[in-house]
Amino acid sequence: MSAGSEAGPRAPGTGAGSPAGPDARSRRQLALMLAPYLAGLVGLVLLPALVTLALAFTHYDLVRPPAWAGFDNFTALVEDPIFRIALTNTVVFAVVAVPLRVLLALGLALLLHRRTPGAGTARAAALLPTAVPEIAYGLLWLWLLNPLYGPINQVLRVGGENGLTALGRTPPQWLTDPTDARAAIILVSLFTMGETFVVLLAARRALPRDVYEMAAIEDATGWDVFRRITLPLMAPVLALLALRDAIASLHFTFVSAFVVTDGGPPPYATTYLSLFVYQTGFEYLRYGYAAAATLVMMVLTLAAVLVQWRLVRRYRRFYPR
Amino acid sequence: MTTVRSKSLLAAALCGALAVTGCGSGVGSSSQEQIKLLVFGAPEELAAYRTLIDAYEAARPGERVQLVEASDRKDLLARLATSVAGGAPPDVFLMNYRFYGQFAAKGVVEPLDGRIAASDAVDPADYYPVAMDAFKWHDQQLCLPQNVSSLVVYYNRTLFARYGVPEPKPGWTWNDLVGTATAMTRDGRGLVIKGTEAEGAARLPAVHGLGVEPSIIRLAPLVWSNGGEIVDDPDRPTRLALDSPAAREALKSLVDLRLAYGVVPSDAEVEAEDDESRFLNGRLAMLMTSRRATTNFRTITGFDWDVAPLPVYQRPVGVLHSDAYCMTRGSRNKDAAWRFMEYAMSADGQKIIAATGRTVPSHIETSRSPAFLDPNLPPRNSQIFLDAIPTVRALPTVSTWPEIEDLSYGILENAMHRGDRLDDVIRELDAKSRPVFARGENG
Amino acid sequence: MSEAGLVLDGVSAAYRTETVLHEVDLAVARGELLVVLGPSGAGKSTVLRVAAGLEPVTAGRVRIAGRDVTDQRPGLRNVSMVFQSYALFPHLTVAENIAFGLEVRDTPHRVARERARAAAETVGCAGLLDRRPGQLSGGERQRVALARALVREPDVFLLDEPLSNLDLALRVEMRAELRALHDRLGATMVHVTHDQTEALVLADRIAVLRDGRIEQVGTPEEIWRTPATVFVARFVGSPAMNLLPAGGPLQPAGDPPALPVEAQIGFRPEAVNLDTGHGAPAIVDRIEVVGEDAYVYLTLEGGKPVVARVPTTRRPDRGAAVRVGVRWTDTHVFDATSGRRLAP
Ligand SMILES: Nc1ncnc2c1ncn2[C@@H]1O[C@H](COP(=O)(O)OP(=O)(O)OP(=O)(O)O)[C@@H](O)[C@H]1O
Ligand SMILES: [Mg+2]
């Protein structure tokens, strides 16, 4: 086993005198392979994003041609109480739901990564909600959360009297109390962490086995193993997933808020930015205004990305190359 | 609008809306002659439009109409807007006068005066003027009303008979309504119960006296009947103005139904089972709603039901509910579209739609025919829809009215179910509606 | 040296359905350094894993320091292990890696660090304490793994090829160091290797393992002088022992022992004498010169190969015809079918 590194295979077409070494060549191939993706990215994501960016500075109602508005939309946003509520709701949701989702996914991944009987079934069950079409999933929750007839509150009322819980308190008013409704949306979002779960499952399985055997020989407790080994080893993946989830959280509130709570209870308890944008853009035909709100959303996303990127980089030092 | 049923429609709508937004131009017609009709509604209504189209294509060989189905109002608005933006709008669409304003103001809708004048088939005099007027924008007739309907009180006759409470009669007053609703709010043993006690969840009413949603369109006829106005200036509104004593009293009456008398279901109960389902299931004695519910209620087999006029405060006033066929300015087939509209507005066309029970035909003659008044089909008292027409009023036509309805709904819902102070409610309606009215354009 | 440090009593082990240890009996006395020697895939690592409790036994018992630990989890067995793959924690520094076992056992942080440093010094990696495994060479990692095992004083040390990745000089040095450490601690150690020199130099006793079975257990001297089987005989020693049929072309000089019909004789290359002038004729095929020694590869009449080790200065030429002589006193006799030792 030679420790010395071999020079990369030299392609037959590249003459020794040619400045384009194998490096440039492989780079060209890479570019070629990336081209379709880049074209799609530009055409389907970047251009619309740029158009949205431009429309944010116009008055545009989808019907008449856009008219230049300067920063009107943004000043209006600042003064718009609904937008402020939507913004707050969105941030609060992300701050609460994202860690919960990642933690839940992590917990499940750690519980179910072994090949034990039933683990396969349990993994499938954990993935299932993610596979259900979003709308159907929303409708399911509408039934689950029904304050009087829904199974959740039926269960909570077991042992209680007169429609109270066993502790003598009224069960959560999922669809009519603002706080409970926000909690409901978070609850709804928790069970769609299937993708995160799968990635963590794979990440956990990729961790070296001997390291855990070493810990077993040293009689490390489960908590020690989690704290000193599993968590730090998975931290980079966790950070990336949290990042991805934070970005996605701007969107995955949409269907549940749209279908389950309709943005309510009044006035705007579960109106998130995504719903706000949809309503102002498509229901009230204030497309320019909605574009401005979208822009704010994008900036917010970018901020979240930057913050978490720094966190990821801090963990990078564990794996110097 | 937070009913289980409407939400499921809404959900399905979203799928559609998303499909359309991406590809407005993908809806291009396959043949030159085929026109597209954009409507929304429950499955029975959509079936009725298919029947209408079949009848039309049979009567006029060569004409082809494609039905584009939205699942609810919001979906329809989104589809219309995006398809107009995409340059491929439907040729004809059906829309309520409360929501057509934003399209009228933006020049999406083709004025029809010239075609009406030249038409042998459509004579404006054949239709209820109140409905025709609702679709005039700057004195131009933009759309042709398919129906004219007003708010009525549906009631469960079987329940009234069981509890020995007199049925509502024309000319009954608001106090009669409150008294009747109170007498009809019963617990599981059939005893009169005050629904407000239900807050402690001690005893929940098994039957509620009345269902009415706390919306501006339900409140408006009450205010008008009491001699008030809901906006400062009905022609050029700048704010929701419920601060007059008459309007305030009407608002208080409405919220008292829940807060003082407990005759309407609480918000949690409404979320658990919306008023229409509650009525269908025999747990609601009376329901204040428009003709729309009839289609659904005709499926009832377990009990007998009928309709009564709105109770009167001081003078009888109703609120107009009306949808119309509108032609888009961007249509590439305006003549074909107009021919279809002529047919849909004719007695034949109106009869087909009236057969669903969903509409009160805007065609005066059809509305008086058995197609609408058929005594064998409930409600027996359909005549009261017609009797109310002379007294109905239209809501203001402002392009931003949909936003006004949405924002006022939240405030009014909290007023009724959370018991917000009336002064605050009125002030909030005023303050929040001002910028929206200011952005709007008037017809 | 009679008290048992580690006992495997008829232990079998299997991965899924494939049995890789067959009723292994092994007793390591307290304070003894036993080397498990065997070719790749013989089951050496498995012996250690079974002792550590990382693999369950399918039969037999495991005892450590007099306790039956067969059903105990690894953490309760009080062993230290160096993994063949090192099993270092990639996210911890060398110091943290070494101190890991102490810290999870709630040793005060400062004490743990001090002992980690001491252990690192023993194996000569004290200069690496702040690095992470990713920043170490293979040999450095191995030393860290060794230090991590040495930081505690368990009942048994289980060392799985702890020196395999070191260069020769370092290996020789570490070998001596390890032996000294063992003597100083009086520790019970099981040391796995496939390097026979390492085994011979280091061991109190050697257990030779082959296909999951113990071939022979004995002192290095016993293993060398009286290999119990052909396998042991050929596995220990380089080049391997010559084997010929007893009645074949080469007849050792001296008094022959009583031989059964089916026997094989074996003699080490260094026992071959090419200078006697009598003996079996042979042709020199090739010669490998390793410094002072030369390995002469010969073919006897009849085609049997023989290797001889001679001083380089007295090596024959390639292609030369020589005579191969051995003496019975340098000859081992094995049963041809079972491979077992018959005499002397
Ligand atoms: N996890 C496993 N699953 C299945 N078979 C295994 C596993 N680990 C080892 N084996 C098999 O068990 C046998 C013994 O393996 P073991 O690792 O004990 O050998 P070894 O003597 O340590 O070899 P080496 O010197 O190469 O490390 C081998 O045949 C190997 O293929
Ligand atoms: Mg091994």
Side-chain angles (χ1 to χ4, degrees), chain C residues 41 44-46 84 160-161 192:
Chain C
K44 306 183 295 293
S45 297
T46 310
Q84 198 170 359
D160 197 346
E161 312 206 8
V192 160

Side-chain angles (χ1 to χ4, degrees), chain B residues 13 38-42 46 68-73 75-77 79:
Chain B
L38 175 64
V39 299
F40 79 87
L46 296 175
V68 183
E69 300 171 2
S71 54
D72 73 343
R73 168 169 64 80
D75 180 30
L76 187 132
L77 294 183
R79 279 184 182 223

